[in-house]
Amino acid sequence: MAYTVLVRQNDFPQLEITARMLWIARDTRSNGSESQRHRKIVAPVFNERIMDNVWNESSMQARDMLIAVFKSSTQGESSGIVEGFRTIAMNVFGYNVYGSRLSWEQAIEAKPPSGYQLTFMESIVSILNNHFISIFVPARILTVSWMPRSIQKMGIATEEFPRHTKDLVTTERNSPSPQNTLLGVLVKSADNERLESMNSADSEKQQSAKPGRLVSYLSEDEITGNLFNFTLAGFDTMSNTMVYALVTLAIQPEWQDWIIEEIDQVARLHPDTSYESTFPLLTRCLALYETLRLYTPALHIPRCTAGPQTSLVFIPANTTVLLALSCMHVSPALYGLDPLSFCPTRWISAPILDSSRETLISPPKGTFMPFSGGPRSCPGTKMAQVEFVGVMREIFAGWRLEAARKTGETEAMARERLGKVVENSQPKIALQVKKPRDVLLKWVRR
């Protein structure tokens, strides 16, 4: 039923308050033809041509982070896992969406540019951590002098983020060689369309003759809105998913052995570890998206009824409908008698006949939707999968993970404590650990 609701977007449109929370530009309608127009412009960017860059950047960022961990702790212990993987996700996303490349350490040590109080990443993280306040309380109130510094920072972030994005747009527009990034495509399509309109003597007549014609580019505000949405949704959900996966593997190390076996086998076959030769063979690493089933980023998806609905069950007009993905993903009817167990093998089919290759099981449509479904499904799904597998491969090709022990703790006690930290999660933009500094892990060389 949930998938049917998502497919029938005209009958079950997105709530307007949801659009506002996603910072969609004020002059942009979030449903109908406008939604289709945005997707038609944006989705083609996330194609196979960028996946090699995503793969290489993910591996490099993970490698840089591990080097930094051992600079700060010879024991390989770290309480900055959540921040560290946020930086990885932001850098991978920044390079492939904005064309801005930073090493892991450069991003950690970055300073605000002239005229700003916060870096681009700091403004994003501040809005992310205080989303409802940042969206619904005007910046001029948040930044009054008698407000605590933490509250003022929210207002500064709310005011500076659009300026950051506009600066990025200007830089891209003035670049002699446009990049094959989301930002580059949006700016190029907008400029080309404007140029064509200016060169067409009867453009106004053509526009007036076709009132229903969809504009094939995004306005400046729409570009800013889309960049905000993709940045928050893209890097936050990805970073949290990687954290949940690694913590679960530290608590249940037998699954580390399982994926390491595959990583080593593929490395022997393809020592170059390139995207084309390696990613398609890392089925077990991709099966770790079992993490998305147990820790679904969006606990529910809100929709409303445009009119009375009778085809499924009777639902009156103007009724809010919540699709509880987190409940569906642990339903015994869909996932058997152990739906709360972390079991990546549920996504793996055994080799058939003389084939030695395991394959990934595609779940029945509408039973697994961490990336939503229907016309509004996430266009960056493949990019997220490539990044996730790239980071997992880089880490477990040379390392193992343990729950770091506190004084007097046994290994079992450390795992139990770590499990409780994960259980204490909360939804913000995406589900995340409530006390990130309590995620204590130890990196051990293989």
Side-chain angles (χ1 to χ4, degrees), residues 192-301:
N192 287 348
E193 184 77 11
R194 289 194 187 96
L195 184 60
E196 289 177 11
S197 297
M198 290 173 62
N199 292 337
S200 176
D202 60 344
S203 61
E204 293 185 7
K205 184 186 299 183
Q206 292 175 359
Q207 291 290 337
S208 61
K210 299 179 180 180
R213 177 181 180 269
L214 291 180
V215 180
S216 59
Y217 66 92
L218 300 180
S219 68
E220 296 289 317
D221 283 344
E222 289 171 337
I223 289 175
T224 299
N226 273 275
L227 292 176
F228 176 84
N229 297 341
F230 279 108
T231 302
L232 257 68
F235 105 88
D236 188 51
T237 55
M238 194 68 256
S239 62
N240 286 308
T241 297
M242 290 190 288
V243 168
Y244 280 121
L246 291 173
V247 170
T248 304
L249 291 172
I251 295 172
Q252 302 181 49
E254 63 273 16
W255 293 113
Q256 294 185 50
D257 298 331
W258 184 67
I259 64 169
I260 285 172
E261 180 184 21
E262 176 184 70
I263 290 170
D264 290 350
Q265 181 183 14
V266 172
R268 287 191 293 270
L269 292 172
H270 302 285
D272 63 340
T273 66
S274 67
Y275 165 70
E276 288 186 355
S277 64
T278 304
F279 174 76
L281 300 181
L282 294 177
T283 308
R284 293 183 181 182
C285 287
L286 189 55
L288 290 180
Y289 69 4
E290 169 80 340
T291 308
L292 288 169
R293 186 183 69 82
L294 293 176
Y295 304 100
T296 305
L299 301 185
H300 61 260
I301 297 177

Side-chain angles (χ1 to χ4, degrees), residues 300-340:
H300 61 260
I301 297 177
R303 292 289 185 266
C304 62
T305 52
Q309 302 299 320
T310 58
S311 60
L312 301 172
V313 294
F314 176 75
I315 308 176
N318 301 316
T319 299
T320 298
V321 178
L322 296 180
L323 308 178
L325 302 186
S326 57
C327 295
M328 181 180 73
H329 288 166
V330 294
S331 168
L334 298 176
Y335 293 99
L337 299 178
D338 62 341
L340 296 178

Side-chain angles (χ1 to χ4, degrees), residues 347-415:
W347 301 102
I348 298 291
S349 64
I352 301 175
L353 299 179
D354 59 344
S355 171
S356 61
R357 181 181 171 186
E358 297 171 330
T359 57
L360 202 67
I361 295 173
S362 295
K365 187 173 292 186
T367 61
F368 181 67
M369 296 190 292
F371 300 102
S372 189
R376 288 184 177 276
S377 61
C378 176
T381 298
K382 177 66 180 289
M383 178 178 169
Q385 292 173 339
V386 172
E387 179 181 350
F388 181 88
V389 173
V391 170
M392 294 299 118
R393 190 214 65 80
E394 184 64 37
I395 289 173
F396 291 103
W399 304 86
R400 289 181 182 272
L401 266 180
E402 297 177 359
R405 301 185 199 180
K406 293 184 175 181
T407 304
E409 281 188 334
T410 63
E411 185 175 355
M413 291 168 64
R415 292 178 187 172

Side-chain angles (χ1 to χ4, degrees), residues 47 76 125 149 167 189 303 350 374-375 437:
N47 57 33
V125 171
R149 174 58 187 167
D167 285 351
S189 64
R303 292 289 185 266
R437 301 300 295 183

Side-chain angles (χ1 to χ4, degrees), residues 142-161:
L142 296 174
T143 54
V144 294
S145 59
W146 46 265
M147 284 287 190
R149 174 58 187 167
S150 59
I151 300 296
Q152 291 185 40
K153 187 176 180 180
M154 296 181 211
I156 294 168
T158 304
E159 187 272 328
E160 288 191 348
F161 173 81

